[in-house]
Amino acid sequence: MTNPADVKVAVVGAGGKMGTRVSNNFAKSDYQASYVETSPAAAERVKDAGRELTDLETAVSGADVIVLAVPDIALGPVTETIAPMLQQGSIVITLDPAAAYAGLLKTIDGVAYLCAHPCHPSVFLERTSPEQWADTFGGQAAPQEVVAARQSGTDAQQALGDEVIRCMYGPVIDVHWVTVKQLAQLEPTLVETVGCMVGQFLKDVMDHAINEVGIPEPAVKAIFYGHVYIALTNALRGSNPFSDACLLAMDYGREAVIKDDWARIWDDEDLDRVLAKMLRLEKIER
Ligand SMILES: NC(=O)c1ccc[n+]([C@@H]2O[C@H](COP(=O)([O-])OP(=O)(O)OC[C@H]3O[C@@H](n4cnc5c(N)ncnc54)[C@H](O)[C@@H]3O)[C@@H](O)[C@H]2O)c1
């Protein structure tokens, strides 16, 4: 294990949503962190948090690890800009696989390109304190896991990256290493295309029950929040069997709501289609 005090980390985009979260964790650690921002409003947030700003070239050229907390659509140009500044042996960490999988990152020989995406604390996490309960996103009090991918680099660079990732997203239970493609299949396909869409769909259906059907809101929320949890724990963990009548209603719902060809979201062409939308490109050129 490396001594964090010997490792220089640069956070680029330090005043954004993720930049602020990871900077808060680096600031509490022994890593030697520097913080970079371009937007005046975000730069103010970095200063308000009590952190000094460093210019891009100084931060990146002096860093062992560079965390790119910039928007996905900026990752291509940012990796192009920093390429000549990077030290041999350094490690670039991005926070989402879309740009890496789409081939938009400017990579340099001798520099490791890793991507690490936080899983957020599990819905089944046994939270033991009010702080853990309040930490819905993760990275503060509630332990979470991380899925990471190595686009390039050595085992030693990955090992150091793993240590840094555990700090920036901490408290971390474990880091699971997969391929860049697998990470892109997990996020967006599994997580955003399905998980987040279903979460928002639950809200839309609930709002409809309240606003259009006219059922009192407290009754709707009472029955729905409890049943959403039992549905998740029954389906994902097999905690209890669904009742026979419920299984029939579930079949009816699947027929009414889900398209028969839903599994096409796992096709490579579909993944490219959603990534092109997210990266605001006509199409993914690989
Ligand atoms: N927001 C989330 O919930 C979340 C969760 C997981 C991963 N991510 C990933 O984290 C990354 C950042 O997303 P975000 O939501 O924090 O974005 P954001 O828009 O909140 O923040 C991005 C920051 O980068 C700064 N920036 C842009 N170009 C820059 C440059 N050239 N140099 C320095 N700073 C620059 C912006 O000023 C801004 O403060 C993305 O890859 C995103 O996919 C986001």
mmCIF file with all atom_site columns, all heavy atoms in Angstrom, residues 190-209:
data_model
loop_
_atom_site.group_PDB
_atom_site.id
_atom_site.type_symbol
_atom_site.label_atom_id
_atom_site.label_alt_id
_atom_site.label_comp_id
_atom_site.label_asym_id
_atom_site.label_entity_id
_atom_site.label_seq_id
_atom_site.pdbx_PDB_ins_code
_atom_site.Cartn_x
_atom_site.Cartn_y
_atom_site.Cartn_z
_atom_site.occupancy
_atom_site.B_iso_or_equiv
_atom_site.pdbx_formal_charge
_atom_site.auth_seq_id
_atom_site.auth_comp_id
_atom_site.auth_asym_id
_atom_site.auth_atom_id
_atom_site.pdbx_PDB_model_num
ATOM 1   N N   . LEU A 1 190 ? -27.696 -0.995 -17.783 1.00 0.00 ? 190 LEU A N   1
ATOM 2   C CA  . LEU A 1 190 ? -28.408 -1.577 -16.642 1.00 0.00 ? 190 LEU A CA  1
ATOM 3   C C   . LEU A 1 190 ? -28.939 -0.496 -15.703 1.00 0.00 ? 190 LEU A C   1
ATOM 4   O O   . LEU A 1 190 ? -30.095 -0.530 -15.265 1.00 0.00 ? 190 LEU A O   1
ATOM 5   C CB  . LEU A 1 190 ? -27.466 -2.514 -15.871 1.00 0.00 ? 190 LEU A CB  1
ATOM 6   C CG  . LEU A 1 190 ? -28.111 -3.270 -14.713 1.00 0.00 ? 190 LEU A CG  1
ATOM 7   C CD1 . LEU A 1 190 ? -29.134 -4.276 -15.209 1.00 0.00 ? 190 LEU A CD1 1
ATOM 8   C CD2 . LEU A 1 190 ? -27.065 -3.996 -13.869 1.00 0.00 ? 190 LEU A CD2 1
ATOM 9   N N   . VAL A 1 191 ? -28.090 0.482  -15.425 1.00 0.00 ? 191 VAL A N   1
ATOM 10  C CA  . VAL A 1 191 ? -28.403 1.430  -14.360 1.00 0.00 ? 191 VAL A CA  1
ATOM 11  C C   . VAL A 1 191 ? -29.320 2.567  -14.813 1.00 0.00 ? 191 VAL A C   1
ATOM 12  O O   . VAL A 1 191 ? -30.330 2.845  -14.158 1.00 0.00 ? 191 VAL A O   1
ATOM 13  C CB  . VAL A 1 191 ? -27.072 1.987  -13.800 1.00 0.00 ? 191 VAL A CB  1
ATOM 14  C CG1 . VAL A 1 191 ? -27.299 3.210  -12.961 1.00 0.00 ? 191 VAL A CG1 1
ATOM 15  C CG2 . VAL A 1 191 ? -26.360 0.908  -12.997 1.00 0.00 ? 191 VAL A CG2 1
ATOM 16  N N   . GLU A 1 192 ? -28.938 3.241  -15.918 1.00 0.00 ? 192 GLU A N   1
ATOM 17  C CA  . GLU A 1 192 ? -29.714 4.432  -16.304 1.00 0.00 ? 192 GLU A CA  1
ATOM 18  C C   . GLU A 1 192 ? -30.863 4.079  -17.244 1.00 0.00 ? 192 GLU A C   1
ATOM 19  O O   . GLU A 1 192 ? -32.005 4.488  -17.017 1.00 0.00 ? 192 GLU A O   1
ATOM 20  C CB  . GLU A 1 192 ? -28.787 5.469  -16.947 1.00 0.00 ? 192 GLU A CB  1
ATOM 21  C CG  . GLU A 1 192 ? -27.863 6.085  -15.899 1.00 0.00 ? 192 GLU A CG  1
ATOM 22  C CD  . GLU A 1 192 ? -26.697 6.871  -16.490 1.00 0.00 ? 192 GLU A CD  1
ATOM 23  O OE1 . GLU A 1 192 ? -26.186 6.470  -17.558 1.00 0.00 ? 192 GLU A OE1 1
ATOM 24  O OE2 . GLU A 1 192 ? -26.287 7.868  -15.887 1.00 0.00 ? 192 GLU A OE2 1
ATOM 25  N N   . THR A 1 193 ? -30.538 3.297  -18.288 1.00 0.00 ? 193 THR A N   1
ATOM 26  C CA  . THR A 1 193 ? -31.573 2.957  -19.269 1.00 0.00 ? 193 THR A CA  1
ATOM 27  C C   . THR A 1 193 ? -32.716 2.199  -18.577 1.00 0.00 ? 193 THR A C   1
ATOM 28  O O   . THR A 1 193 ? -33.879 2.418  -18.898 1.00 0.00 ? 193 THR A O   1
ATOM 29  C CB  . THR A 1 193 ? -30.969 2.086  -20.403 1.00 0.00 ? 193 THR A CB  1
ATOM 30  O OG1 . THR A 1 193 ? -29.874 2.803  -20.964 1.00 0.00 ? 193 THR A OG1 1
ATOM 31  C CG2 . THR A 1 193 ? -31.973 1.785  -21.490 1.00 0.00 ? 193 THR A CG2 1
ATOM 32  N N   . VAL A 1 194 ? -32.363 1.309  -17.616 1.00 0.00 ? 194 VAL A N   1
ATOM 33  C CA  . VAL A 1 194 ? -33.416 0.526  -16.958 1.00 0.00 ? 194 VAL A CA  1
ATOM 34  C C   . VAL A 1 194 ? -33.660 1.020  -15.519 1.00 0.00 ? 194 VAL A C   1
ATOM 35  O O   . VAL A 1 194 ? -34.754 1.480  -15.192 1.00 0.00 ? 194 VAL A O   1
ATOM 36  C CB  . VAL A 1 194 ? -33.103 -0.982 -16.957 1.00 0.00 ? 194 VAL A CB  1
ATOM 37  C CG1 . VAL A 1 194 ? -34.208 -1.750 -16.247 1.00 0.00 ? 194 VAL A CG1 1
ATOM 38  C CG2 . VAL A 1 194 ? -32.955 -1.482 -18.386 1.00 0.00 ? 194 VAL A CG2 1
ATOM 39  N N   . GLY A 1 195 ? -32.644 0.955  -14.658 1.00 0.00 ? 195 GLY A N   1
ATOM 40  C CA  . GLY A 1 195 ? -32.873 1.228  -13.233 1.00 0.00 ? 195 GLY A CA  1
ATOM 41  C C   . GLY A 1 195 ? -33.435 2.625  -12.973 1.00 0.00 ? 195 GLY A C   1
ATOM 42  O O   . GLY A 1 195 ? -34.471 2.770  -12.319 1.00 0.00 ? 195 GLY A O   1
ATOM 43  N N   . CYS A 1 196 ? -32.748 3.638  -13.487 1.00 0.00 ? 196 CYS A N   1
ATOM 44  C CA  . CYS A 1 196 ? -33.211 5.010  -13.218 1.00 0.00 ? 196 CYS A CA  1
ATOM 45  C C   . CYS A 1 196 ? -34.526 5.289  -13.941 1.00 0.00 ? 196 CYS A C   1
ATOM 46  O O   . CYS A 1 196 ? -35.399 5.971  -13.407 1.00 0.00 ? 196 CYS A O   1
ATOM 47  C CB  . CYS A 1 196 ? -32.148 6.026  -13.630 1.00 0.00 ? 196 CYS A CB  1
ATOM 48  S SG  . CYS A 1 196 ? -30.626 5.846  -12.688 1.00 0.00 ? 196 CYS A SG  1
ATOM 49  N N   . MET A 1 197 ? -34.673 4.731  -15.151 1.00 0.00 ? 197 MET A N   1
ATOM 50  C CA  . MET A 1 197 ? -35.928 4.931  -15.885 1.00 0.00 ? 197 MET A CA  1
ATOM 51  C C   . MET A 1 197 ? -37.089 4.328  -15.084 1.00 0.00 ? 197 MET A C   1
ATOM 52  O O   . MET A 1 197 ? -38.143 4.949  -14.924 1.00 0.00 ? 197 MET A O   1
ATOM 53  C CB  . MET A 1 197 ? -35.805 4.282  -17.274 1.00 0.00 ? 197 MET A CB  1
ATOM 54  C CG  . MET A 1 197 ? -37.025 4.412  -18.165 1.00 0.00 ? 197 MET A CG  1
ATOM 55  S SD  . MET A 1 197 ? -38.309 3.205  -17.821 1.00 0.00 ? 197 MET A SD  1
ATOM 56  C CE  . MET A 1 197 ? -37.516 1.679  -18.334 1.00 0.00 ? 197 MET A CE  1
ATOM 57  N N   . VAL A 1 198 ? -36.900 3.122  -14.549 1.00 0.00 ? 198 VAL A N   1
ATOM 58  C CA  . VAL A 1 198 ? -37.976 2.486  -13.783 1.00 0.00 ? 198 VAL A CA  1
ATOM 59  C C   . VAL A 1 198 ? -38.267 3.298  -12.516 1.00 0.00 ? 198 VAL A C   1
ATOM 60  O O   . VAL A 1 198 ? -39.419 3.501  -12.142 1.00 0.00 ? 198 VAL A O   1
ATOM 61  C CB  . VAL A 1 198 ? -37.626 1.016  -13.449 1.00 0.00 ? 198 VAL A CB  1
ATOM 62  C CG1 . VAL A 1 198 ? -38.574 0.445  -12.408 1.00 0.00 ? 198 VAL A CG1 1
ATOM 63  C CG2 . VAL A 1 198 ? -37.656 0.171  -14.713 1.00 0.00 ? 198 VAL A CG2 1
ATOM 64  N N   . GLY A 1 199 ? -37.198 3.806  -11.866 1.00 0.00 ? 199 GLY A N   1
ATOM 65  C CA  . GLY A 1 199 ? -37.400 4.633  -10.666 1.00 0.00 ? 199 GLY A CA  1
ATOM 66  C C   . GLY A 1 199 ? -38.264 5.844  -10.979 1.00 0.00 ? 199 GLY A C   1
ATOM 67  O O   . GLY A 1 199 ? -39.217 6.152  -10.259 1.00 0.00 ? 199 GLY A O   1
ATOM 68  N N   . GLN A 1 200 ? -37.956 6.534  -12.084 1.00 0.00 ? 200 GLN A N   1
ATOM 69  C CA  . GLN A 1 200 ? -38.751 7.712  -12.455 1.00 0.00 ? 200 GLN A CA  1
ATOM 70  C C   . GLN A 1 200 ? -40.154 7.301  -12.888 1.00 0.00 ? 200 GLN A C   1
ATOM 71  O O   . GLN A 1 200 ? -41.133 8.007  -12.606 1.00 0.00 ? 200 GLN A O   1
ATOM 72  C CB  . GLN A 1 200 ? -38.034 8.485  -13.575 1.00 0.00 ? 200 GLN A CB  1
ATOM 73  C CG  . GLN A 1 200 ? -38.696 9.806  -13.944 1.00 0.00 ? 200 GLN A CG  1
ATOM 74  C CD  . GLN A 1 200 ? -38.812 10.771 -12.763 1.00 0.00 ? 200 GLN A CD  1
ATOM 75  O OE1 . GLN A 1 200 ? -37.847 10.981 -12.037 1.00 0.00 ? 200 GLN A OE1 1
ATOM 76  N NE2 . GLN A 1 200 ? -40.004 11.327 -12.554 1.00 0.00 ? 200 GLN A NE2 1
ATOM 77  N N   . PHE A 1 201 ? -40.260 6.128  -13.517 1.00 0.00 ? 201 PHE A N   1
ATOM 78  C CA  . PHE A 1 201 ? -41.581 5.641  -13.943 1.00 0.00 ? 201 PHE A CA  1
ATOM 79  C C   . PHE A 1 201 ? -42.464 5.369  -12.720 1.00 0.00 ? 201 PHE A C   1
ATOM 80  O O   . PHE A 1 201 ? -43.664 5.666  -12.712 1.00 0.00 ? 201 PHE A O   1
ATOM 81  C CB  . PHE A 1 201 ? -41.411 4.375  -14.797 1.00 0.00 ? 201 PHE A CB  1
ATOM 82  C CG  . PHE A 1 201 ? -42.699 3.821  -15.331 1.00 0.00 ? 201 PHE A CG  1
ATOM 83  C CD1 . PHE A 1 201 ? -43.492 4.562  -16.196 1.00 0.00 ? 201 PHE A CD1 1
ATOM 84  C CD2 . PHE A 1 201 ? -43.127 2.553  -14.969 1.00 0.00 ? 201 PHE A CD2 1
ATOM 85  C CE1 . PHE A 1 201 ? -44.697 4.056  -16.687 1.00 0.00 ? 201 PHE A CE1 1
ATOM 86  C CE2 . PHE A 1 201 ? -44.323 2.034  -15.452 1.00 0.00 ? 201 PHE A CE2 1
ATOM 87  C CZ  . PHE A 1 201 ? -45.108 2.788  -16.316 1.00 0.00 ? 201 PHE A CZ  1
ATOM 88  N N   . LEU A 1 202 ? -41.857 4.840  -11.657 1.00 0.00 ? 202 LEU A N   1
ATOM 89  C CA  . LEU A 1 202 ? -42.618 4.617  -10.420 1.00 0.00 ? 202 LEU A CA  1
ATOM 90  C C   . LEU A 1 202 ? -43.200 5.944  -9.924  1.00 0.00 ? 202 LEU A C   1
ATOM 91  O O   . LEU A 1 202 ? -44.355 6.017  -9.501  1.00 0.00 ? 202 LEU A O   1
ATOM 92  C CB  . LEU A 1 202 ? -41.722 4.029  -9.329  1.00 0.00 ? 202 LEU A CB  1
ATOM 93  C CG  . LEU A 1 202 ? -41.170 2.623  -9.564  1.00 0.00 ? 202 LEU A CG  1
ATOM 94  C CD1 . LEU A 1 202 ? -40.247 2.224  -8.413  1.00 0.00 ? 202 LEU A CD1 1
ATOM 95  C CD2 . LEU A 1 202 ? -42.301 1.613  -9.707  1.00 0.00 ? 202 LEU A CD2 1
ATOM 96  N N   . LYS A 1 203 ? -42.400 6.992  -9.989  1.00 0.00 ? 203 LYS A N   1
ATOM 97  C CA  . LYS A 1 203 ? -42.861 8.322  -9.548  1.00 0.00 ? 203 LYS A CA  1
ATOM 98  C C   . LYS A 1 203 ? -43.995 8.807  -10.462 1.00 0.00 ? 203 LYS A C   1
ATOM 99  O O   . LYS A 1 203 ? -45.007 9.341  -9.982  1.00 0.00 ? 203 LYS A O   1
ATOM 100 C CB  . LYS A 1 203 ? -41.661 9.290  -9.589  1.00 0.00 ? 203 LYS A CB  1
ATOM 101 C CG  . LYS A 1 203 ? -41.995 10.749 -9.405  1.00 0.00 ? 203 LYS A CG  1
ATOM 102 C CD  . LYS A 1 203 ? -42.127 11.109 -7.939  1.00 0.00 ? 203 LYS A CD  1
ATOM 103 C CE  . LYS A 1 203 ? -42.097 12.600 -7.701  1.00 0.00 ? 203 LYS A CE  1
ATOM 104 N NZ  . LYS A 1 203 ? -43.327 13.304 -7.987  1.00 0.00 ? 203 LYS A NZ  1
ATOM 105 N N   . ASP A 1 204 ? -43.843 8.619  -11.776 1.00 0.00 ? 204 ASP A N   1
ATOM 106 C CA  . ASP A 1 204 ? -44.876 9.080  -12.714 1.00 0.00 ? 204 ASP A CA  1
ATOM 107 C C   . ASP A 1 204 ? -46.200 8.353  -12.452 1.00 0.00 ? 204 ASP A C   1
ATOM 108 O O   . ASP A 1 204 ? -47.271 8.959  -12.464 1.00 0.00 ? 204 ASP A O   1
ATOM 109 C CB  . ASP A 1 204 ? -44.432 8.835  -14.168 1.00 0.00 ? 204 ASP A CB  1
ATOM 110 C CG  . ASP A 1 204 ? -43.207 9.669  -14.539 1.00 0.00 ? 204 ASP A CG  1
ATOM 111 O OD1 . ASP A 1 204 ? -42.857 10.598 -13.777 1.00 0.00 ? 204 ASP A OD1 1
ATOM 112 O OD2 . ASP A 1 204 ? -42.590 9.379  -15.583 1.00 0.00 ? 204 ASP A OD2 1
ATOM 113 N N   . VAL A 1 205 ? -46.116 7.044  -12.222 1.00 0.00 ? 205 VAL A N   1
ATOM 114 C CA  . VAL A 1 205 ? -47.335 6.260  -11.974 1.00 0.00 ? 205 VAL A CA  1
ATOM 115 C C   . VAL A 1 205 ? -47.979 6.708  -10.655 1.00 0.00 ? 205 VAL A C   1
ATOM 116 O O   . VAL A 1 205 ? -49.197 6.843  -10.542 1.00 0.00 ? 205 VAL A O   1
ATOM 117 C CB  . VAL A 1 205 ? -47.006 4.748  -11.946 1.00 0.00 ? 205 VAL A CB  1
ATOM 118 C CG1 . VAL A 1 205 ? -48.223 3.934  -11.533 1.00 0.00 ? 205 VAL A CG1 1
ATOM 119 C CG2 . VAL A 1 205 ? -46.503 4.289  -13.301 1.00 0.00 ? 205 VAL A CG2 1
ATOM 120 N N   . MET A 1 206 ? -47.128 6.956  -9.652  1.00 0.00 ? 206 MET A N   1
ATOM 121 C CA  . MET A 1 206 ? -47.640 7.395  -8.346  1.00 0.00 ? 206 MET A CA  1
ATOM 122 C C   . MET A 1 206 ? -48.317 8.760  -8.480  1.00 0.00 ? 206 MET A C   1
ATOM 123 O O   . MET A 1 206 ? -49.420 8.969  -7.958  1.00 0.00 ? 206 MET A O   1
ATOM 124 C CB  . MET A 1 206 ? -46.484 7.463  -7.354  1.00 0.00 ? 206 MET A CB  1
ATOM 125 C CG  . MET A 1 206 ? -46.938 7.670  -5.937  1.00 0.00 ? 206 MET A CG  1
ATOM 126 S SD  . MET A 1 206 ? -45.538 7.664  -4.802  1.00 0.00 ? 206 MET A SD  1
ATOM 127 C CE  . MET A 1 206 ? -44.912 9.309  -5.056  1.00 0.00 ? 206 MET A CE  1
ATOM 128 N N   . ASP A 1 207 ? -47.682 9.691  -9.196  1.00 0.00 ? 207 ASP A N   1
ATOM 129 C CA  . ASP A 1 207 ? -48.274 11.020 -9.395  1.00 0.00 ? 207 ASP A CA  1
ATOM 130 C C   . ASP A 1 207 ? -49.614 10.912 -10.111 1.00 0.00 ? 207 ASP A C   1
ATOM 131 O O   . ASP A 1 207 ? -50.550 11.652 -9.820  1.00 0.00 ? 207 ASP A O   1
ATOM 132 C CB  . ASP A 1 207 ? -47.331 11.913 -10.222 1.00 0.00 ? 207 ASP A CB  1
ATOM 133 C CG  . ASP A 1 207 ? -46.146 12.390 -9.405  1.00 0.00 ? 207 ASP A CG  1
ATOM 134 O OD1 . ASP A 1 207 ? -46.151 12.185 -8.173  1.00 0.00 ? 207 ASP A OD1 1
ATOM 135 O OD2 . ASP A 1 207 ? -45.206 12.957 -10.002 1.00 0.00 ? 207 ASP A OD2 1
ATOM 136 N N   . HIS A 1 208 ? -49.685 9.975  -11.066 1.00 0.00 ? 208 HIS A N   1
ATOM 137 C CA  . HIS A 1 208 ? -50.937 9.783  -11.804 1.00 0.00 ? 208 HIS A CA  1
ATOM 138 C C   . HIS A 1 208 ? -52.049 9.328  -10.846 1.00 0.00 ? 208 HIS A C   1
ATOM 139 O O   . HIS A 1 208 ? -53.180 9.810  -10.928 1.00 0.00 ? 208 HIS A O   1
ATOM 140 C CB  . HIS A 1 208 ? -50.714 8.761  -12.918 1.00 0.00 ? 208 HIS A CB  1
ATOM 141 C CG  . HIS A 1 208 ? -51.772 8.775  -13.963 1.00 0.00 ? 208 HIS A CG  1
ATOM 142 N ND1 . HIS A 1 208 ? -51.682 9.526  -15.105 1.00 0.00 ? 208 HIS A ND1 1
ATOM 143 C CD2 . HIS A 1 208 ? -52.967 8.135  -14.032 1.00 0.00 ? 208 HIS A CD2 1
ATOM 144 C CE1 . HIS A 1 208 ? -52.767 9.358  -15.833 1.00 0.00 ? 208 HIS A CE1 1
ATOM 145 N NE2 . HIS A 1 208 ? -53.563 8.510  -15.207 1.00 0.00 ? 208 HIS A NE2 1
ATOM 146 N N   . ALA A 1 209 ? -51.692 8.403  -9.953  1.00 0.00 ? 209 ALA A N   1
ATOM 147 C CA  . ALA A 1 209 ? -52.694 7.912  -8.982  1.00 0.00 ? 209 ALA A CA  1
ATOM 148 C C   . ALA A 1 209 ? -53.225 9.072  -8.127  1.00 0.00 ? 209 ALA A C   1
ATOM 149 O O   . ALA A 1 209 ? -54.414 9.143  -7.828  1.00 0.00 ? 209 ALA A O   1
ATOM 150 C CB  . ALA A 1 209 ? -52.071 6.830  -8.105  1.00 0.00 ? 209 ALA A CB  1
#
